[in-house]
Amino acid sequence: VNAVLAVSALVGGLGCGLTVAIISPVLAFLLGIAPNIVTVPAIMVGNAVFVLLLHFLVGKDAESIVRRIIAWVVAAAAKFAALYFVVAKLICGVLSEGLLASGTLKPPMLKALPATFSWPQLFTALIGGAVALVIVPVVKKALKK
């Protein structure tokens, strides 16, 4: 997913990247991939942060490998931080009592979500971004032909 987010933002532009960032968590939930409906907005936020930072940090200088690498690492770290804050601190912290009381979250999910939306998110964003670093120049070259 992170590779698709990065490629869509860096090849298709900001609108394309944000569209994928917003729609993919909804589709993941509808397909039973997202763990819970309350995580969908959090995933949207994390994806949007990733796309926005990649787009604006790479900017018009997309040929610079150093600029792309810096954007990739910063965007991955920011996505991880956004997801961790929203899921672990907000949903599983501040909002947990209400979500448990309403039955929206069950206790096992409350324990699993912080682990799912912490370090694994950083690694998957780094891996997806690395894949995109390889793919984007090839796709852009092919589109010019």
Side-chain angles (χ1 to χ4, degrees):
V1 170
N2 289 297
V4 172
L5 289 168
V7 171
S8 65
L10 296 174
V11 174
L14 184 58
C16 183
L18 287 174
T19 299
V20 174
I22 302 304
I23 291 175
S24 61
V26 173
L27 294 175
F29 177 73
L30 293 174
L31 294 171
I33 299 167
N36 191 292
I37 188 67
V38 298
T39 62
V40 170
I43 297 167
M44 288 176 177
V45 168
N47 288 350
V49 165
F50 188 66
V51 164
L52 286 164
L53 285 171
L54 277 175
H55 176 78
F56 288 114
L57 291 176
V58 170
K60 300 290 182 199
D61 192 14
E63 300 304 314
S64 168
I65 186 69
V66 172
R67 191 171 184 124
R68 288 194 325 254
I69 289 171
I70 290 169
W72 157 54
V73 172
V74 169
K79 178 180 181 176
F80 152 73
L83 282 170
Y84 182 76
F85 173 76
V86 173
V87 174
K89 299 301 179 188
L90 186 62
I91 293 172
C92 294
V94 175
L95 303 175
S96 63
E97 234 177 83
L99 292 169
L100 286 169
S102 70
T104 307
L105 278 182
K106 305 286 185 225
M109 184 66 73
L110 193 64
K111 290 184 180 188
L113 285 176
T116 304
F117 287 93
S118 61
W119 294 109
Q121 295 301 318
L122 177 61
F123 298 131
T124 58
L126 286 170
I127 292 166
V131 169
L133 284 178
V134 173
I135 291 173
V136 167
V138 175
V139 171
K140 283 188 168 188
K141 186 177 179 182
L143 289 174
K144 287 181 183 176
K145 289 185 176 182

